[in-house]
Amino acid sequence: MSESIIVSLYFMATLYVLAGILHFVLPKFYLRIIPPYIPYPKFVVYLSGLIEIILGAALLFPETRRLGAWGIILLLIAVFPANIYHFQSRRKKDPPKWVLLLRLPLQFALIYWAYLFV
């Protein structure tokens, strides 16, 4: 792997681990973006945070990198409805509407980025 790919890999792993940790530090933010049809929202917030941490860490090891990348792809697909809901139900405390809208196509870029490590 080239040096730039390695830097990209470690940056991605760090982002997912930190994002996962934020689920435990700021659960109220994540609770606001869970659609009302999802049962046990607090459990979902903590579980998704734990999954993000595990998948981010999995990227760091050659033996688990492929599984971690596929897991991130599946996770990004699974949380896409929450991002749509967040955009549609934005509150004053949330980021601006344009940021939430920009995040939607960004999901596809993140999926592609993870796919590079499959």
Side-chain angles (χ1 to χ4, degrees):
M1 258 193 276
S2 72
E3 188 175 320
S4 62
I5 295 294
I6 292 170
V7 169
S8 171
L9 174 67
Y10 280 92
F11 185 66
M12 176 188 264
T14 302
L15 281 177
Y16 283 100
V17 169
L18 290 176
I21 291 169
L22 284 176
H23 283 70
F24 296 93
V25 175
L26 301 170
K28 287 182 182 179
F29 172 80
Y30 292 95
L31 283 168
R32 286 198 319 263
I33 71 172
I34 294 184
Y37 59 83
I38 302 290
Y40 311 106
K42 192 176 240 183
F43 174 75
V44 170
V45 166
Y46 292 133
L47 179 63
S48 60
L50 181 62
I51 290 170
E52 277 189 284
I53 292 166
I54 291 169
L55 294 174
L59 291 173
L60 298 173
F61 305 98
E63 302 82 15
T64 57
R65 184 169 298 140
R66 185 176 168 93
L67 180 64
W70 275 119
I72 287 170
I73 290 167
L74 292 174
L75 181 67
L76 289 168
I77 292 167
V79 301
F80 194 73
N83 292 335
I84 292 171
Y85 175 75
H86 194 196
F87 172 73
Q88 293 173 333
S89 64
R90 182 189 173 276
R91 297 181 186 139
K92 289 183 181 186
K93 298 179 189 179
D94 292 334
K97 196 112 174 154
W98 68 268
V99 171
L100 300 177
L101 182 62
L102 184 64
R103 184 170 73 177
L104 298 175
L106 179 62
Q107 292 286 113
F108 297 105
L110 293 172
I111 289 169
Y112 175 75
W113 188 16
Y115 187 74
L116 295 175
F117 301 105
V118 168

